[in-house]
Amino acid sequence: MVDDAQVRATFLGTSTVYLNDGVSGVLIDGFLSRPSLLRVAFGRVAPDPKRVTHALSKAGIRRLDALLVAHSHYDHAMDAPEIVRRLGGVMYGSSSTLNIGRGAGLGEASMAIIGDGDVVTAGAFTVRVFEGEHSPGNRFPGTIEQPLVPPAKVGDYRDGGCYSFHVTHPSGSLLIHPSANFVPGKFDDLDVDALYLGVGALGAQSEQFQDEYWRHVVDATQPSLIVPVHWDNFFRSLDRALRPLPSFMDKFDRTREWLDRQSAATGIPVRFQQPFEIISPLA
Ligand SMILES: [Zn+2]
């Protein structure tokens, strides 16, 4: 049973996570179109209105107060303006993300720039922004200086700065950390109940990197629950079962072993959330 006063979290692949407490709704990223690898590699990408509609309705997301974009790569930011246009609320992101909003025709009143240390409130939710580093191997660094009109090349979606989101609510707190990298000391004074931990391409990193990642993100925040995010093959539609990233992009088996090992050593449960499954991460 899901208690009505509790924060409910729905995972929708990549680092797309919907939080709601029955009154207010907060969405991270909102990447639902998930174009195929062929299109990403050789063509141009644009929001897929049918897939966006289908995923929102399947997830039961009918209204929104805030949509926070972690960075402006297409697999985080591309669909955000489309979602805000349909559901309302404000899209928060870097200046690059706002240029994605402008290119999609989103009005200035529906978007706002955020940066390190900024605080956004949405009903009983308070979200603090932490700027960090993109995971190693950032293929499209830099900023988006002009309104970006889709369809566009994936490489036009430059990262524009990477954010993590510390969400507090009267029932507890969680950190959503989409990109598998760290800034030493950044989370040292932060204790959370749940951690949505980005593990994308972590399996391709050295053991030393993985262990430092755990130290600076997990040890620093002392969560009671870890939900891994950004591990799935986002070239597949959300209509199909999630699968790990293909092996030329990541070594997911290594990530899984690492998570199992760390979980056993620390006693912190690691729970892979299924897409569209609703959990109460603060309960
Ligand atoms: Zn990225």
Side-chain angles (χ1 to χ4, degrees):
M1 260 313 270
V2 177
D3 179 347
D4 224 39
Q6 279 292 340
V7 171
R8 281 154 284 174
T10 313
F11 171 59
L12 296 166
T14 56
S15 47
T16 294
V17 179
Y18 177 63
L19 304 172
N20 89 94
D21 62 358
V23 178
S24 308
V26 173
L27 182 65
I28 309 300
D29 290 350
F31 177 58
L32 305 172
S33 293
R34 298 166 67 103
S36 71
L37 179 56
L38 205 64
R39 180 170 293 275
V40 167
F42 300 110
R44 288 166 181 267
V45 294
D48 180 331
K50 269 194 208 148
R51 283 191 177 180
V52 170
T53 301
H54 183 68
L56 289 175
S57 104
K58 189 170 171 186
I61 305 174
R62 284 175 211 94
R63 59 181 294 271
L64 211 56
D65 296 275
L67 193 165
L68 296 122
V69 178
H71 61 272
S72 53
H73 283 158
Y74 88 103
D75 57 323
H76 297 262
M78 183 178 76
D79 293 332
E82 178 74 24
I83 293 172
V84 166
R85 189 167 30 228
R86 291 172 189 216
L87 302 183
V90 175
M91 181 185 83
Y92 295 92
S94 65
S95 62
S96 294
T97 293
L98 265 60
N99 272 328
I100 295 173
R102 291 184 187 109
L106 194 65
E108 296 293 326
S110 299
M111 45 192 190
I113 289 196
I114 46 172
D116 194 35
D118 284 351
V119 173
V120 170
T121 56
F125 291 99
T126 302
V127 185
R128 188 168 159 213
V129 179
F130 286 79
E131 184 155 21
E133 295 283 329
H134 194 275
S135 58
N138 179 0
R139 291 181 60 213
F140 309 114
T143 53
I144 302 169
E145 297 291 341
Q146 305 286 335
L148 181 58
V149 180
K153 282 184 274 183
V154 162
D156 293 338
Y157 289 85
R158 304 202 162 264
D159 79 64
C162 280
Y163 303 134
S164 300
F165 302 111
H166 179 228
V167 183
T168 54
H169 185 270
S171 59
S173 74
L174 55 105
L175 177 67
I176 297 176
H177 184 69
S179 213
N181 206 340
F182 56 91
V183 175
K186 190 80 184 174
F187 299 136
D188 277 0
D189 296 318
L190 206 66
D191 277 4
V192 300
D193 297 298
L195 172 61
Y196 277 72
L197 180 67
V199 297
L202 192 63
Q205 307 307 325
S206 70
E207 215 164 290
Q208 187 194 341
F209 182 92
Q210 294 176 339
D211 289 344
E212 283 182 33
Y213 185 51
W214 186 276
R215 186 150 57 87
H216 291 294
V217 180
V218 184
D219 283 345
T221 58
Q222 295 289 312
S224 305
L225 171 71
I226 293 172
V227 179
V229 293
H230 219 326
W231 54 271
D232 55 302
N233 179 347
F234 50 88
F235 308 111
R236 285 162 59 93
S237 161
L238 271 181
D239 286 339
R240 304 164 73 194
L242 290 195
R243 276 198 198 151
L245 275 168
S247 57
F248 72 90
M249 296 181 72
D250 197 3
K251 303 282 177 267
F252 179 70
D253 290 350
R254 279 192 75 221
T255 300
R256 185 141 217 166
E257 282 164 26
W258 173 77
L259 285 168
D260 287 348
R261 204 166 57 237
Q262 296 285 16
S263 176
T266 58
I268 304 171
V270 173
R271 187 196 200 286
F272 279 85
Q273 197 174 344
Q274 293 306 308
F276 301 102
E277 179 195 8
I278 298 168
I279 67 168
S280 299
L282 307 180

